[in-house]
Amino acid sequence: MAFDNPQTLFLASASPRRRDILTQLGFQVQVQSVNIDESRQSNESPRDYCVRLALQKNQAAVDRFQPDLPVIAADTIVVLGDETLGKPTDRETVIRTLTRLSDNVHQVITAVAVYHQDRVLHDDQVSEVHMAPIDSDWIASYADSEEPYDKAGAYGIQGAVGRWIKCINGSYSGIMGLPVYETTRLLTGLDIMSGKTL
């Protein structure tokens, strides 16, 4: 769908999935990714950790670029029990991660922070993902592809691993990396987006 005079905003993330979601919502997106220390603090819950990272990424982008335009930052984590599963760095980690997720239930948490005109709003979305038993030979073959290595938990719901997901309780777009409902509420709350124009 085409929109007249679309609003431009900064996305403090290099994620093509987040960029695509914002484009589908009718925005022009300027990608301005930032790097921060993403270490989890002791005694910090996964949800608090995810929210903190989204807020810190947003603040880092605002401090660096001093934008007149709105800034969106987000962070997505995969949680098994109380453990956060990050982006794998090697084949063995891919295999180990998906073997643990196989025939199990895990959470995907995405937090979003939006800055506009000296105001910041944030929200988060928690989804529960039920994974079927994953064939071990399939995992080994998947680990040889490029797909797992830029994704928390070694998979994206829209990718090849999607065939093994039995059901989700939550938000498909949230699992992708930017929950549409929560993001739209934040944008509306900062007068960036209204039901009349988009």
Side-chain angles (χ1 to χ4, degrees):
M1 181 176 181
F3 296 88
D4 294 330
N5 302 315
Q7 166 78 54
T8 301
L9 49 77
F10 284 119
L11 173 62
S13 168
S15 165
R17 296 165 291 279
R18 293 181 180 132
R19 183 192 63 226
D20 289 347
I21 289 171
L22 290 170
T23 300
Q24 290 166 12
L25 288 175
F27 293 98
Q28 288 187 350
V29 181
Q30 294 187 19
V31 174
Q32 300 283 4
S33 61
V34 294
N35 293 313
I36 63 169
D37 179 2
E38 298 192 16
S39 302
R40 183 176 168 188
Q41 298 175 356
S42 59
N43 300 319
E44 186 175 36
S45 73
R47 193 168 185 171
D48 289 345
Y49 167 61
C50 191
V51 170
R52 177 175 62 81
L53 290 185
L55 287 167
Q56 287 185 346
K57 288 178 181 179
N58 190 283
Q59 187 62 56
V62 171
D63 290 344
R64 180 176 176 185
F65 303 111
Q66 300 182 344
D68 294 326
L69 298 172
V71 176
I72 292 185
D75 195 80
T76 300
I77 61 173
V78 173
V79 183
L80 186 61
D82 188 56
E83 183 181 353
T84 55
L85 305 179
K87 298 176 182 178
T89 57
D90 54 48
R91 185 177 188 275
E92 290 71 22
T93 304
V94 173
I95 293 173
R96 183 168 60 251
T97 298
L98 288 182
T99 299
R100 295 180 65 195
L101 295 180
S102 174
D103 199 22
N104 210 338
V105 180
H106 64 274
Q107 289 185 324
V108 178
I109 305 173
T110 295
V112 185
V114 183
Y115 164 91
H116 187 47
Q117 296 179 343
D118 296 324
R119 294 177 62 203
V120 179
L121 297 180
H122 69 87
D123 202 355
D124 61 271
Q125 200 285 325
V126 182
S127 295
E128 193 174 76
V129 180
H130 296 249
M131 198 79 78
I134 307 176
D135 180 81
S136 59
D137 290 337
W138 188 92
I139 292 176
S141 177
Y142 174 75
D144 290 329
S145 74
E146 296 181 0
E147 186 173 316
Y149 295 97
D150 68 337
K151 298 173 180 67
Y155 81 94
I157 192 171
Q158 73 284 1
V161 174
R163 65 177 287 190
W164 302 102
I165 295 174
K166 291 194 292 187
C167 67
I168 66 169
N169 180 13
S171 165
Y172 184 90
S173 59
I175 297 170
M176 283 183 67
L178 194 70
V180 169
Y181 177 75
E182 288 78 4
T183 301
T184 300
R185 288 181 61 211
L186 297 177
L187 293 167
T188 302
L190 291 173
D191 298 321
I192 302 166
M193 182 178 194
S194 73
K196 293 182 180 179
T197 58
L198 291 178

